[in-house]
Amino acid sequence: MTEKALCRVKKPGLFTTIQDAGRTGWQKKGIPPAGVMDEYAFKMANFLVGNEGQEAVLEITMLGPVLRFTQAAVMAVTGGDLQPLLNNKKTEMWHSFLVKEGDELSFAGVKSGARAYIAVQGGFAGNEVLGSKSTYTKAGIGGMEGRALQADDILTGLSPLSELKRCAWLESTLIPSYRQKTLLRVTEGPEADAFSRDGLYTFYTRSFRVANESDRMGCRLQGPPVAHVKQADILSDAVDFGTIQVAADGCPMILMADRQTTGGYTRIASVIQVDLPKAAQLLPGHEVTFQKVSVARAHYLLKEQRKQLASIALASMNML
């Protein structure tokens, strides 16, 4: 597929990056996968424009960009409701739509959720590093020269797969809602026995607030301290997207897409994979509670979600 200039960035927004599913297989070399924070919204955006689910998208955080298009394209916006506008008129989310040369896509501001995803039929082009276009700003790799978008950047798209015969949209039951109070299901972590009985009771029964310092590396939580039996430090060991560490201050932190590959703090639990999109949409000030589930239950929920995604992918292909 060839690349074509798709749009010019008039305003970059707060933090807008090119992301895909991430660069897998490199954590043993100390390279985080990066990639999208909300995998569900990412895949749905791709399906809605007729992509196979893995093409690069724009991930926008809280304050969206203003994009002026230089050619027609089939688009979709999913994830957090940042109130997308096409030529200053409200446009539907979780729904494909056509933009023409000269059109502008902008965002009025956060209504719910933290991150939205813009997909284009054929996918956005970007610098590919180690098999992924995902932007990892701490290392300056992937996406748009390894950085967030800036004003006057020119975004290019890959040639469309085909014309969309009709608009695609998701049923309301498939569209997640993002609330100010969120329950995250977790499995027990490898250092759960490093916490006192009171500490574990606090973790599973009390609520925590998302701190302002949260970012793509980690979601920092504030609240009642989660007490250890002795110390919080461990020999550095592997961590993953969703690992919850608790340092000596007793504050949990959920590790996210740009996390380090190893960590030296006790791992009390891990957010199950199907709930990671909910964690990705948390805003500062939101409340979080945790519920422990078995590994078997986590696997069952993941299998059911994958069946659902496969069904949606098949339906989206039939719209082309």
Side-chain angles (χ1 to χ4, degrees):
M1 291 186 289
T2 58
E3 296 183 11
K4 294 182 179 179
L6 178 65
C7 61
R8 181 176 68 87
V9 179
K10 292 186 67 176
K11 295 181 180 180
L14 180 64
F15 189 76
T16 305
T17 57
I18 296 171
Q19 300 288 347
D20 58 21
R23 47 187 61 84
T24 57
W26 295 97
Q27 292 190 82
K28 61 186 177 183
K29 301 292 187 180
I31 301 171
V36 293
M37 292 274 279
D38 185 337
E39 185 181 30
Y40 183 82
F42 162 65
K43 289 185 174 179
M44 291 302 103
N46 268 311
F47 292 156
L48 287 169
V49 297
N51 297 336
E52 293 185 358
Q54 303 295 322
E55 297 294 342
V57 300
L58 296 184
E59 180 181 271
I60 61 181
T61 305
M62 295 175 64
L63 179 64
V66 178
L67 307 176
R68 184 174 181 83
F69 289 87
T70 54
Q71 69 165 331
V74 176
M75 314 288 297
V77 182
T78 63
D81 187 358
L82 308 190
Q83 303 185 82
L85 305 171
L86 184 60
N87 300 323
N88 291 318
K89 294 182 180 179
K90 181 180 177 181
T91 188
E92 294 295 325
M93 295 189 61
W94 306 92
H95 194 293
S96 62
F97 57 93
L98 180 69
V99 295
K100 303 184 296 295
E101 181 180 353
D103 283 351
E104 283 192 2
L105 180 65
S106 59
F107 296 82
V110 174
K111 186 175 181 181
S112 65
R115 294 174 173 87
Y117 294 84
I118 305 174
V120 59
Q121 191 177 88
F124 285 96
N127 302 136
E128 187 169 316
V129 178
L130 301 178
S132 172
K133 300 183 183 75
S134 285
T135 307
Y136 181 46
T137 57
K138 294 183 184 301
I141 59 175
M144 180 67 71
E145 300 173 357
R147 57 170 172 76
L149 298 189
Q150 299 175 358
D152 294 324
D153 280 342
I154 302 297
L155 294 174
T156 56
L158 301 174
S159 297
L161 304 174
S162 66
E163 291 297 325
L164 203 65
K165 292 179 180 178
R166 61 187 174 91
C167 289
W169 63 92
L170 288 186
E171 296 179 8
S172 59
T173 56
L174 298 175
I175 299 174
S177 59
Y178 309 113
R179 299 182 175 90
Q180 294 186 5
K181 295 183 179 181
T182 300
L183 172 67
L184 296 177
R185 291 167 292 187
V186 301
T187 55
E188 186 176 86
E191 285 84 47
D193 59 358
F195 297 87
S196 68
R197 180 178 298 179
D198 287 345
L200 291 171
Y201 181 82
T202 296
F203 181 76
Y204 286 112
T205 63
R206 303 290 295 275
S207 63
F208 300 87
R209 287 192 177 275
V210 178
N212 291 332
E213 296 81 8
S214 299
D215 56 19
R216 280 181 49 90
M217 185 174 180
C219 179
R220 298 177 182 274
L221 301 177
Q222 298 173 330
V226 178
H228 293 82
V229 174
K230 292 183 179 179
Q231 60 185 28
D233 295 340
I234 62 170
L235 291 175
S236 289
D237 207 340
V239 294
D240 202 359
F241 195 167
T243 296
I244 304 174
Q245 292 183 318
V246 183
D249 61 4
C251 294
M253 184 170 78
I254 308 170
L255 302 185
M256 307 299 278
D258 286 355
R259 67 199 176 275
Q260 69 275 22
T261 57
T262 62
Y265 296 124
T266 45
R267 299 162 294 182
I268 192 170
S270 291
V271 179
I272 67 173
Q273 192 168 339
V274 297
D275 280 3
L276 289 176
K278 293 196 292 185
Q281 296 293 347
L282 293 170
L283 284 165
H286 280 188
E287 288 188 23
V288 178
T289 55
F290 298 105
Q291 179 186 71
K292 184 163 67 172
V293 299
S294 67
V295 173
R297 178 62 177 168
H299 285 170
Y300 170 79
L301 292 170
L302 181 59
K303 289 177 182 177
E304 290 300 302
Q305 184 191 65
R306 285 177 175 172
K307 288 179 184 177
Q308 184 184 64
L309 290 172
S311 176
I312 295 170
L314 180 61
S316 72
M317 290 298 105
N318 292 334
M319 291 185 176
L320 295 176

